[in-house]
Amino acid sequence: MRTPMIAGNWKMHLTTFEAMELAAAIKNGISTDLNREVLIAPSFTNLQVVKKAISGSKILLSAQNMCWEEKGAFTGEVSPLQLKDIGCDYVIIGHSERRKIFYETDDMLNKKVKSALKNGLKIIFCIGETIEERENQQTYNVLKTQVNNGLKDITDFEMSNLVIAYEPVWAIGTGRTATPEQAEDAHIFIRREIERIFNKHISESIRILYGGSVKAENIDDLMACKNIDGALVGGESLKAEKFLRVINYMTK
Ligand code: PEP
């Protein structure tokens, strides 16, 4: 039985005060009896204040990125040791904005995955195809490559600390959500690939989130799919009321 996860990626938004207020509103709005994990990923500068705002709740804290090195001369980077020290539970690795805008390669992402796991951080590992790749029938190839390269040399045991987020690039921040059928199809493919690389137990227990224009209005249909175990939510996670509606999918 996979516990669903609803994760909010706040990207490069919100001042410290705004982040604190939003985190507090989410904390106060969550009903404690729901069997689902909730995670928020603020900017590095807001991690500490959000950690404080969610204390006493079960909300998980995630960074949006990290360096693979633990310390040293890496100006402008933040290390897994520092994220752990500040109280992060998770780190997002491989978001398409990191791949596309900051040229993060599969090899760099694999180093980040290994370093995060070594330092006791859990991971949301993002994969997904561009619109050109989808139109050229390359979706499966892209997902296969990203999974194989990004998770190279990761042990079966370490896989229990990893969540995959399928985020078609064409659906991120565009308002164009994948249909539940398109998302489910990709999730089934990813699960089969995980079984091929690792084993059946891992493929059946790993959580695969969908991300890409998830809204209060479409979350119920997505979550009705057997292989969708939650959502990675961008824009809709910046408004407490909307994000709470996503968290409370199928109940309200
Ligand atoms: C994201 O940032 O991972 C994302 C899915 O964004 P949005 O929900 O805004 O499309």
Side-chain angles (χ1 to χ4, degrees):
M1 184 62 192
R2 303 184 292 263
T3 306
M5 170 185 272
I6 303 292
N9 174 12
W10 291 355
K11 309 198 184 190
M12 199 172 67
H13 291 291
L14 309 177
T15 62
T16 302
F17 183 73
E18 289 165 345
M20 188 185 67
E21 280 208 313
L22 179 56
I26 294 167
K27 176 183 163 181
N28 294 334
I30 286 181
S31 41
T32 47
D33 52 353
L34 283 180
N35 176 35
R36 46 196 77 161
E37 283 184 358
V38 176
L39 172 150
I40 45 188
S43 305
F44 289 131
T45 52
N46 292 331
L47 283 169
Q48 215 155 6
V49 77
V50 168
K51 176 77 188 168
K52 205 163 163 202
I54 59 176
S55 75
S57 76
K58 286 192 190 151
I59 300 173
L60 299 163
L61 185 69
S62 176
Q64 300 172 13
N65 179 32
M66 56 164 244
C67 181
W68 58 81
E69 297 288 347
E70 289 176 5
K71 59 179 159 184
F74 300 97
T75 303
E77 292 293 316
V78 175
S79 88
L81 279 181
Q82 292 169 323
L83 296 181
K84 197 68 194 159
D85 179 52
I86 219 170
C88 282
D89 306 288
Y90 273 80
V91 59
I92 298 174
I93 294 179
H95 192 282
S96 63
E97 286 151 16
R98 301 291 326 164
R99 292 177 188 263
K100 198 168 92 191
I101 307 171
F102 300 99
Y103 306 106
E104 293 194 4
T105 61
D106 283 345
D107 185 44
M108 288 158 82
L109 298 175
N110 182 244
K111 286 205 252 181
K112 291 186 183 207
V113 167
K114 287 177 181 161
S115 175
L117 292 168
K118 180 172 167 236
N119 284 284
L121 288 164
K122 296 186 180 184
I123 297 169
I124 297 181
F125 183 66
C126 303
I127 56 174
E129 81 288 358
T130 63
I131 191 64
E132 294 78 26
E133 289 162 344
R134 174 163 283 265
E135 283 170 358
N136 290 323
Q137 281 76 46
Q138 290 304 311
T139 300
Y140 291 161
N141 282 344
V142 170
L143 297 178
K144 190 179 167 84
T145 303
Q146 291 177 342
V147 167
N148 280 273
N149 294 350
L151 305 183
K152 190 163 166 270
D153 300 328
I154 302 306
T155 66
D156 292 5
F157 178 72
E158 288 172 324
M159 283 299 285
S160 61
N161 289 321
L162 200 130
V163 174
I164 290 177
Y166 168 61
E167 298 205 298
V169 180
W170 47 272
I172 298 179
T174 58
R176 187 179 163 196
T177 324
T179 62
E181 293 73 25
Q182 285 172 322
E184 174 72 357
D185 179 67
H187 284 221
I188 289 171
F189 176 81
I190 296 163
R191 217 177 279 291
R192 285 206 191 119
E193 192 56 22
I194 294 290
E195 179 176 346
R196 201 188 58 76
I197 306 170
F198 298 95
N199 59 52
K200 196 169 178 63
H201 171 72
I202 293 173
S203 81
E204 282 175 354
S205 54
I206 194 161
R207 289 178 291 181
I208 307 178
L209 315 182
Y210 167 77
S213 297
V214 169
K215 308 269 175 232
E217 294 75 33
N218 57 31
I219 184 69
D220 288 357
D221 290 343
L222 289 162
M223 290 307 294
C225 300
K226 204 165 144 243
N227 285 283
I228 299 183
D229 306 310
L232 180 53
V233 188
E236 197 84 330
S237 70
L238 291 166
K239 292 156 272 172
E241 199 187 320
K242 295 279 189 181
F243 190 50
L244 285 164
R245 170 65 187 83
V246 173
I247 293 169
N248 289 322
Y249 69 87
M250 287 179 180
T251 61
K252 296 192 179 159

